[in-house]
Amino acid sequence: MLDIIYWPVSAILWFWHKAFGFVFGADSGLTWSLAVVFLVFTLRLVLYKPFVKQVRTTKQMQELQPQIKELQKKYKNDRETMAKEMQKLQKEHGFNPLMGCLPVLVQVPVFLGLFHVLRSFNRTGHGWGQLGMSAYDNAHTPNYIFSATDVQSFLSARIFGAPIASFITAPASEMQAFADWGGTPTKLNIAMVAVPLMIIAGLATHFNARASVQRQTPEAAANPQAAIMNKLSLWVFPLGVMVGGPFLMIGILLYWVANNIWTYGQQHLVFGRMEKEDEERKQKKLELRAQNAPKPGVKPVDVRKKQDAPADDESSANGTAATNGTTPKQSAKQGGGKRRPGGQQRPGNRGRANQKRKR
């Protein structure tokens, strides 16, 4: 059912084995180790853009935390409305929660595929998923894209005396698969290689988590769910790698170490670029503000105009006088500056006639 994963993983591993085999030899432990490491690098290179989107999604999620808290507080008794408002908020800001976990979701099947392919180089076990082959049949049976010769090459490969497909808790019966191809390894040989890899993998997992936590905003770190995840990432996951290390093949431990090394470097690269982008945006805003600001010694001009303000009597008089071709003073003497409430102009000699009648 999972052949759609096993075949591509084995093909990438085969390609890098052939590439490094030209340099170091097909049966070299270094060749097989580099093949596993560059399998990781190939996968992470393909997932580079999704990783960048994941980082941006995480950052955007942190920026939206205050608004999310307001919605949670406002609709704490109405979960349906709160869910709709949350979806609306995410849609307005182009937020896609799936992008935050896509790289992890893709890496899980690849990890399982590599585990299965490496395990299938030694099919002499009788446990779950094992075929119970004899040592001879196992060495002469192809493993997905790898030929029987490639299987024998893998069984012959050693890293300081330990086969890549071996692990500390492996039964003695499974170790017999390596007997005709370099000798049966001892538990001490395997532990001397596996234990340092376990420690390095645990420390790398911890420091990656610490770098991620340090970049969180105070609002995001104060979130109870984020606080729990931070503790898991900082302590539980690294401890899990070290506790589960004795049950993992050396090839899987190599995968884990290489994956964490890539993640550490990629995080610094991506976050460094994002910080530069933020700094450039701030600089552009400051430049625009400086361009719009008044020059030294110049009084600021209020550009806001009252469009609907009524005209005063003096401006009306000036306008009327200008229309009649007279000056404002002449218009005032003639009484042309006064108007009735209805808008009609009063006669200019009305006041004089009343004065004569009184006399």
Side-chain angles (χ1 to χ4, degrees):
M1 182 177 65
L2 296 178
D3 286 349
I4 192 173
I5 298 173
Y6 300 151
W7 282 96
V9 169
S10 63
I12 297 173
L13 187 64
W14 176 89
F15 170 80
W16 287 116
H17 171 256
K18 295 301 179 184
F20 289 108
F22 285 111
V23 181
F24 304 107
D27 299 341
S28 171
L30 181 60
T31 296
W32 284 101
S33 300
L34 290 174
V36 173
V37 170
F38 275 79
L39 168 67
V40 178
F41 293 169
T42 303
L43 170 66
R44 297 305 301 271
L45 189 62
V46 172
L47 293 177
Y48 177 77
K49 288 187 177 180
F51 175 81
V52 174
K53 290 183 179 180
Q54 176 195 13
V55 173
R56 294 187 184 278
T57 299
T58 304
K59 183 179 179 181
Q60 192 176 23
M61 185 68 179
Q62 294 175 2
E63 293 174 352
L64 293 177
Q65 280 299 317
Q67 301 180 47
I68 292 174
K69 286 184 178 180
E70 290 180 3
L71 291 176
Q72 291 174 345
K73 184 178 180 180
K74 184 177 181 180
Y75 301 104
K76 61 181 180 179
N77 297 325
D78 190 354
R79 293 185 176 275
E80 184 178 354
T81 305
M82 183 175 65
K84 291 181 180 179
E85 292 296 326
M86 291 279 286
Q87 291 177 357
K88 183 179 178 181
L89 178 66
Q90 293 173 0
K91 187 176 181 180
E92 288 177 353
H93 292 82
F95 177 76
N96 187 0
L98 181 62
M99 295 308 302
C101 55
L102 180 61
V104 177
L105 293 176
V106 174
Q107 289 183 61
V108 169
V110 175
F111 175 83
L112 296 176
L114 178 63
F115 180 84
H116 179 76
V117 171
L118 292 179
R119 192 183 186 192
S120 297
F121 280 107
N122 184 2
R123 293 151 288 188
T124 59
H126 296 276
W128 180 80
Q130 289 289 324
L131 300 178
M133 291 183 177
S134 64
Y136 179 86
D137 291 339
N138 176 69
H140 293 82
T141 303
N143 178 24
Y144 292 98
I145 200 171
F146 292 99
S147 65
T149 303
D150 294 329
V151 173
Q152 296 166 17
S153 172
F154 185 86
L155 295 173
S156 302
R158 297 288 190 274
I159 303 177
F160 301 106
I164 297 178
S166 62
F167 51 100
I168 296 175
T169 58
S173 59
E174 292 188 24
M175 293 294 99
Q176 295 302 317
F178 305 100
D180 295 334
W181 313 99
T184 304
T186 63
K187 296 287 184 180
L188 180 61
N189 292 134
I190 300 172
M192 289 179 64
V193 178
V195 171
L197 289 175
M198 289 160 48
I199 296 173
I200 295 172
L203 291 175
T205 304
H206 172 77
F207 284 113
N208 276 333
R210 175 176 288 186
S212 179
V213 170
Q214 289 176 348
R215 293 186 178 95
Q216 291 181 353
T217 60
E219 294 81 5
N223 190 345
Q225 296 179 352
I228 294 173
M229 287 302 301
N230 290 341
K231 290 181 180 179
L232 290 174
S233 302
L234 285 170
W235 308 109
V236 178
F237 294 161
L239 184 62
V241 175
M242 299 183 67
V243 172
F247 303 93
L248 298 175
M249 290 177 286
I250 291 176
I252 295 299
L253 293 174
L254 284 171
Y255 172 92
W256 202 281
V257 171
N259 190 55
N260 278 280
I261 291 174
W262 180 280
T263 300
Y264 191 81
Q266 187 172 253
Q267 278 186 347
H268 281 272
L269 176 64
V270 173
F271 280 108
R273 288 183 177 179
M274 291 179 64
E275 289 175 0
K276 287 182 180 179
E277 291 176 359
D278 293 339
E279 190 65 28
E280 289 177 358
R281 291 194 194 97
K282 291 180 181 179
Q283 192 66 27
K284 287 182 180 179
K285 288 182 180 179
L286 292 175
E287 290 176 358
L288 288 174
R289 187 178 298 176
Q291 291 176 0
N292 295 331
K295 296 180 180 180
V298 179
K299 184 178 180 181
V301 180
D302 189 2
V303 297
R304 294 175 298 178
K305 296 181 179 179
K306 299 180 180 180
Q307 299 292 340
D308 300 331
D312 56 4
D313 293 342
E314 184 178 355
S315 62
S316 300
N318 291 342
T320 305
T323 304
N324 297 333
T326 59
T327 63
K329 292 183 179 180
Q330 292 174 348
S331 178
K333 290 180 180 180
Q334 294 175 1
K338 298 180 180 180
R339 292 180 178 274
R340 294 180 180 178
Q344 299 177 356
Q345 188 174 2
R346 294 180 179 179
N349 58 352
R350 181 178 177 182
R352 295 179 181 177
N354 291 338
Q355 290 175 2
K356 288 180 180 180
R357 288 177 185 177
K358 288 180 180 181
R359 290 176 182 176

